[in-house]
Every structure is written in C-alpha cells, then in structure tokens.
Amino acid sequence: VRKVQGNVTRQIRRTHIIYRSEEPDHENLHHLDNLIVLCRACHDEAHRHKHEWRRDIAEIRQLDKLFKKVTLK
C-alpha cells in the first residue's frame, strides 16, 4: 500500500482494466466494473506491471461477461 503525498485530488487517475487501445469501440468500455481509481503513482505502476494485476481484477469483476473476446496480455 502506498501513502499518497501532496494534493490528492489532483493525483487521482481513473484507468480502464481493459484498455481503450484494446477495445476502442466496445459498448462496455466505460462500464464501472472496467474502471479503477488509483493515485497517480499507483496508476503509473499499474501500467508498468499490467500483466501482474489485470487478470486478477478481471476475474474478480467477471469482465469476461462484459468483454467476451478480449485476451489480456
């Protein structure tokens, strides 16, 4: 767990679990189950290590029901 420093309201990032670059026109791209809110530092870390967390979150949130043909990389 990271401690957020500085102005928290400016450092919050909403990110997609299934990225826009993977499914740019998918009807469920902005579904709440496909979004996660992270501080900027965690957002940057998540993008660097996406293969380590996306599969787990996608499974927990059952994103396979929203995105039937997506293979997480």
Side-chain angles (χ1 to χ4, degrees):
V1 175
R2 291 181 181 264
K3 291 183 180 179
V4 178
Q5 297 177 352
N7 187 339
V8 175
T9 58
R10 286 194 211 156
Q11 294 186 3
I12 298 298
R13 300 283 193 257
R14 176 206 65 199
T15 193
H16 295 86
I17 299 165
I18 306 298
Y19 297 139
R20 286 181 294 197
S21 60
E22 295 170 316
E23 290 290 330
D25 298 321
H26 198 285
E27 64 185 27
N28 290 318
L29 182 64
H30 304 297
H31 190 283
L32 289 178
D33 286 342
N34 189 44
L35 299 172
I36 190 167
V37 178
L38 302 169
C39 71
R40 182 178 180 175
C42 291
H43 175 268
D44 294 346
E45 190 73 13
H47 274 276
R48 280 193 292 275
H49 301 286
K50 65 183 176 186
H51 60 280
E52 296 175 13
W53 65 274
R54 290 189 341 141
R55 286 191 185 122
D56 291 341
I57 292 177
E59 184 177 333
I60 290 166
R61 294 187 178 191
Q62 300 179 350
L63 293 183
D64 58 322
K65 293 179 181 177
L66 295 175
F67 298 90
K68 299 198 184 305
K69 297 179 182 178
V70 174
T71 302
L72 293 177
K73 300 172 186 170

